[in-house]
Amino acid sequence: MRRRWQAILACVLALVVSGTTQAIGGANTADDCVGMTWTVRDNHWNADTVLVGNDVTTNGYQGDTSCDVPLPVLCLKPSGLALPPGVVPDFYNGWSGGEAKLTPAVSGYALYSRAAADGFCASQFGVGYRMGEHHDGNGGWGWWAKGDLLRTWVAIDDQAANPWNTGTGRAMTWSMITKDWSRDLVRFGNDVKTDSYAGDTPVTDRLPVLCLRKDGRAAPSGIPFDFYNGWAAGEVKLSTPVRGTALTSRAAADAVCASQFGAGYRMGEHHDGNGGWSWWAAGNVRFWVAINNQPANPWD
């Protein structure tokens, strides 16, 4: 019981930090509360299109993640957008015709009904946004949408391209490049948007901080590491989105990571894989998503 109410309190605090308030009077209080989660499976960075869907962790029938875990909510605004070039939809990877965004992380206990989840999306991103659903691509298991869901602030030590020392009003960002779903390994790095010299994203934007805890863990087998795709020897997590202007120094950015994830976490840096431009780390980037025809939501 104590753990359950601690989770609910954590959710309230997360909403306050994000500038959002939400009543939780009807919150789900089941001790065995679990919900279904998805992840990002592919990106077309040059067109801001993203494929979200299930992986080996997902359980679309019973749920896969305890409601104690704070995760973002996948939000979608269906808009009838035309199919973009390069996307070839099928039953398992359809085209949603909409724009996807991720909320700040919330406990599954806050998602006590579909209406509550939809309302949280609308409160964060505006009218028309609601929680994404398993069948939004008309089939199931995955769908494409407009969006750049996993862009993050990341540091670079040898260039003035950080929020705290940029001279252009823009700072460098990375995105999740790929994921090894079977082993919870992710590679973050530069893409077509990244500018490591002058910055690429206005510091007034809100993005997560790419947080890393180096613990010296051994490099996994089967990945061809090199200078441009190194092993960071640690675990990565994404912070709650923050404005770049709030990252007034490297110490301030490191403190965001430590305050959210504990001692040892700090802002990831361009060279953490010993070379540059990208690196692998342990990590499992996930978010809550709804399913209409199975009892795999936090509320049922």
Side-chain angles (χ1 to χ4, degrees):
M1 179 68 74
R2 179 181 179 185
R3 185 183 68 172
R4 183 172 69 239
W5 286 106
Q6 285 175 332
I8 294 173
L9 178 58
C11 169
V12 174
L13 292 175
L15 295 176
V16 170
V17 168
S18 68
T20 304
T21 58
Q22 178 178 341
I24 62 169
N28 183 354
T29 57
D31 285 315
D32 59 351
C33 174
V34 293
M36 185 179 76
T37 62
W38 274 6
T39 189
V40 169
R41 297 208 321 235
D42 196 4
N43 293 287
H44 289 178
W45 300 299
N46 59 343
D48 280 350
T49 52
V50 61
L51 175 64
V52 293
N54 69 302
D55 63 4
V56 296
T57 298
T58 302
N59 186 327
Y61 304 102
Q62 297 174 315
D64 50 77
T65 301
S66 169
C67 290
D68 289 338
V69 178
L71 292 175
V73 178
L74 176 63
C75 301
L76 180 70
K77 183 179 182 180
S79 306
L81 300 177
L83 182 70
V87 173
V88 182
D90 57 34
F91 182 85
Y92 298 104
N93 301 287
W95 171 240
S96 70
E99 184 173 3
K101 294 180 181 291
L102 292 178
T103 72
V106 295
S107 160
Y109 289 109
L111 308 177
Y112 54 86
S113 68
R114 179 62 188 267
D118 289 349
F120 185 43
C121 289
S123 71
Q124 292 288 300
F125 305 121
V127 175
Y129 278 95
R130 46 91 169 154
M131 189 180 196
E133 198 273 330
H134 179 87
H135 303 90
D136 274 324
N138 297 318
W141 306 105
W143 38 262
W144 289 89
K146 293 291 291 183
D148 188 10
L149 298 184
L150 296 182
R151 186 154 299 278
T152 67
W153 302 117
V154 65
I156 185 166
D157 287 343
D158 56 358
Q159 300 293 331
N162 302 287
W164 53 86
N165 64 6
T166 178
T168 65
R170 294 174 174 269
M172 185 181 77
T173 62
W174 274 6
S175 187
M176 192 179 85
I177 306 300
T178 191
K179 178 179 180 180
D180 183 330
W181 299 304
S182 65
R183 294 187 289 176
D184 286 347
L185 301 172
V186 291
R187 179 164 70 99
F188 277 83
N190 67 303
D191 61 10
V192 295
K193 289 186 178 180
T194 302
D195 188 328
S196 303
Y197 305 103
D200 49 78
T201 300
V203 294
T204 52
D205 283 7
R206 289 183 182 271
L207 293 176
V209 177
L210 181 60
C211 299
L212 176 68
R213 177 174 61 87
K214 278 181 169 282
D215 53 19
R217 66 184 65 193
S221 61
I223 295 176
F225 299 113
D226 57 35
F227 183 86
Y228 299 103
N229 303 284
W231 172 242
E235 183 176 13
V236 70
K237 294 181 181 289
L238 303 185
S239 79
T240 297
V242 297
R243 292 193 190 280
T245 50
L247 306 177
T248 54
S249 67
R250 178 62 188 269
D254 290 347
V256 169
C257 294
S259 67
Q260 294 192 28
F261 305 121
Y265 278 95
R266 45 87 169 163
M267 188 181 201
E269 199 273 332
H270 178 88
H271 303 90
D272 273 323
N274 297 319
W277 305 104
S278 77
W279 37 260
W280 286 86
N284 191 3
V285 179
R286 312 198 64 76
F287 34 80
W288 303 115
V289 66
I291 185 166
N292 286 340
N293 58 348
Q294 297 293 335
N297 303 290
W299 54 86
D300 63 6

